[in-house]
Amino acid sequence: MGLSKVSIIEALVKQIKEEMLPDIDPYSFVSASAYDTAWLAMVPADSDQTCPMFKECLEWVVNNQTKVGCWGECVDTIDTLSATLACVIAIHKWSIGANNIKRGLDFVQENAEKILRKTEDHFPRWFTIIFPGMIELARKVGIQLAFPSQLNAFLLDIFHKRQLLLDTEELIGNQYYPPLLSYLEALPPSYDVSERDITMNLNGDGSLFQSPAATASAFMATGNERSLSYLQTVVGRCANGVPPTFPMDEELIRLCLVNQLQRLGLANHFTHEIEEILVQIYRNYKTLEWLDKASNNIVDVGIQLHKDSLAFRLLRMHGYSISPRHFCWFLNNQEVRAQIEENQGYFTISMLNVYRATDLMFPGENEVEEARSFCRKVLEKIILKDSSLASTGLNKM
């Protein structure tokens, strides 16, 4: 007799617990960044400059091209364009995978216009820096890019916007956004970055702003041993492709794991493991008598809001007593509120998580009501922007 569906599920759950959950390595649940993995794949070995230092990263790139020819989790988003170009450059550098290169270039050249026009009114800052940088690097190493002629003016506009950023911002020192140096790998050759600029701004762990891609570029430019140690640590910890940032907030990863198990309807099979995670999260939050969210950096704020709202929602759902101040802190920070309103697209996921957290509001929690109202307004504006794109038919091209 065949196994019942219940028996099959129980067997799979047992296998997952045995293989993945004994030590719960958070990084085993983090999706790889094709863009950053490609940059580590470009690093040459010290002993032989004709071979990659991180062969496993190059193998990951070769083996993780999608059926349509791109790299990345979503085939119709702007980050796919940058990731695909970076992967093509990495493969081209080591003179392998001619078919991978052709398929990748075909995807970029055939889909760039459709993807770019979906977002043309609000390109994020990172894309304005990285995408032109990947185009320049591809051409520098001899990769032929042939975009449709009708896209030329559009591309020139993106390059122009990048130049405005380069002309008006300092290499280091932007209060709200990641500094230009954190995109070292994508800065144009004409932008003068000295070895001293790089080494003076390395983190204690040897990274350049905890970016694997930027640190790979920094190591290739300087040969700094601390940067090399950082890259080796990243690859050693994240064997299946590297993340976009390292190290990551491991508490946030565990919270996302619990959230995903609940969304999949599998929480009942992992009650003990979920409880262990939430007990530790709750203990950590209870030790914080007050929260000092001093950073107004857009990346830090987004991650912190995501984490705090997710923790609040999951802890209340499981019966823990937790104060709304743990995720409503942004309401009293006018600079943070302004950043959210000015960069609505970037904060979409954070605002959605905050809004979901307010579903667990108790009577009389006025700050939670205020947070719900604020998030609703931001999300409605985001939806209106998407609606305006839909009305033009651009999202159907």
Side-chain angles (χ1 to χ4, degrees), residues 310-331:
L310 191 56
F312 175 85
R313 181 166 63 85
L314 291 174
L315 288 171
R316 274 211 171 172
M317 286 177 66
H318 287 80
Y320 290 89
S321 175
I322 182 168
S323 169
R325 65 190 171 89
H326 286 290
F327 84 104
C328 292
W329 53 265
F330 71 96
L331 294 173

Side-chain angles (χ1 to χ4, degrees), residues 129-158:
I129 299 171
I130 288 178
F131 184 57
M134 293 307 97
I135 292 176
E136 287 176 335
L137 182 57
R139 289 171 173 165
K140 179 182 178 181
V141 300
I143 296 173
Q144 300 299 317
L145 288 171
F147 292 106
S149 58
Q150 63 268 28
L151 198 57
N152 289 340
F154 199 11
L155 291 174
L156 285 174
D157 183 57
I158 296 175

Side-chain angles (χ1 to χ4, degrees), residues 125-126 169-183 203 209-210 245 292-306 329-330 333-340 342-343 346-347 350:
R125 176 175 173 274
W126 67 264
E169 293 189 17
E170 299 293 332
L171 190 64
I172 295 292
N174 194 308
Q175 181 181 0
Y176 300 114
Y177 301 98
L180 291 177
L181 188 58
S182 65
Y183 303 103
N203 290 7
F209 301 98
Q210 298 183 332
T245 302
D292 180 17
K293 312 294 182 180
S295 175
N296 289 336
N297 182 285
I298 188 172
V299 175
D300 295 336
V301 171
I303 293 173
Q304 195 66 52
L305 278 173
H306 184 185
W329 53 265
F330 71 96
N333 189 320
Q334 293 304 315
E335 288 188 71
V336 167
R337 291 179 66 145
Q339 282 299 303
I340 295 172
E342 292 170 11
N343 301 276
Y346 181 86
F347 285 99
S350 300

